[in-house]
């Protein structure tokens, strides 16, 4: 195995099956800012904005639903071509739940529920 080529490709060989050349996206693995869905600031002031950020900057499509404590859906949206969105907090203080769906880098569909505290 040789992985330090200027082309950022990886060379692998073995005696039985031959020689392989793989492309490796080094920046993708080195520059991962977060590994979980983030809400910030959290807590947020009522009627102020907050950011919903997906894990890995390569996640470029997701959807969310915002629920109150009674399970009433207050908002929903699908976002494409970006890994974050600025959202408006509810006007009433309290605890809310944000259900986020996205596809990870391995094509697995992920659903995450985050708590959002509005003060």
């Amino acid at each position: 195995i040789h992985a330090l080529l200027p082309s950022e490709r990886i060379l692998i060989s073995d005696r039985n099956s031959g020689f392989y050349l793989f492309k490796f996206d080094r920046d993708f693995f080195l520059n991962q800012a977060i590994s979980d869905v983030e809400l910030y600031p959290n807590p947020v002031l009522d009627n102020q904005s907050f950011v919903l950020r997906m894990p890995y900057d390569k996640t470029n499509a997701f959807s969310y639903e915002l629920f109150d404590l009674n399970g009433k859906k207050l908002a929903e949206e699908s976002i494409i071509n970006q890994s974050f969105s600025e959202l408006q907090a509810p006007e009433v203080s309290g605890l809310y739940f944000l259900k986020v769906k996205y596809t990870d880098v391995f094509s697995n569909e992920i659903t995450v529920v985050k708590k959002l505290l509005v003060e």
Side-chain angles (χ1 to χ4, degrees):
I1 296 178
H2 185 66
L4 299 175
L5 297 172
S7 66
E8 296 187 354
R9 293 184 181 224
I10 299 172
L11 302 175
I12 300 175
S13 67
D14 68 27
R15 293 180 187 189
N16 296 326
S17 60
F19 184 75
Y20 298 93
L21 180 63
F22 293 92
K23 184 175 187 307
F24 179 69
D25 189 350
R26 186 178 315 236
D27 290 335
F28 175 74
F29 287 95
L30 294 178
N31 294 323
Q32 297 305 314
I34 58 174
S35 61
D36 192 15
V37 172
E38 281 190 345
L39 302 176
Y40 55 89
N42 191 10
V44 63
L45 297 176
D46 57 358
N47 211 25
Q48 298 293 312
S49 63
F50 65 97
V51 174
L52 168 60
R53 184 171 178 200
M54 295 297 94
Y56 318 111
D57 289 332
K58 297 247 178 174
T59 303
N60 64 4
F62 61 95
S63 64
Y64 72 86
E65 299 173 277
L66 180 66
F67 297 92
D68 66 11
L69 279 176
N70 296 318
K72 180 181 176 187
K73 188 186 303 183
L74 303 174
E76 67 180 313
E77 187 175 5
S78 293
I79 309 293
I80 57 171
N81 296 325
Q82 61 188 48
S83 61
F84 66 94
S85 183
E86 187 171 350
L87 309 173
Q88 194 70 28
E91 295 178 3
V92 178
S93 298
L95 183 62
Y96 295 86
F97 296 95
L98 204 63
K99 182 178 180 181
V100 181
K101 293 182 181 181
Y102 67 96
T103 302
D104 70 8
V105 296
F106 303 108
S107 298
N108 298 314
E109 291 187 24
I110 308 294
T111 300
V112 175
V113 177
K114 294 294 222 175
K115 294 177 184 176
L116 176 68
L117 181 59
V118 178
E119 296 181 335

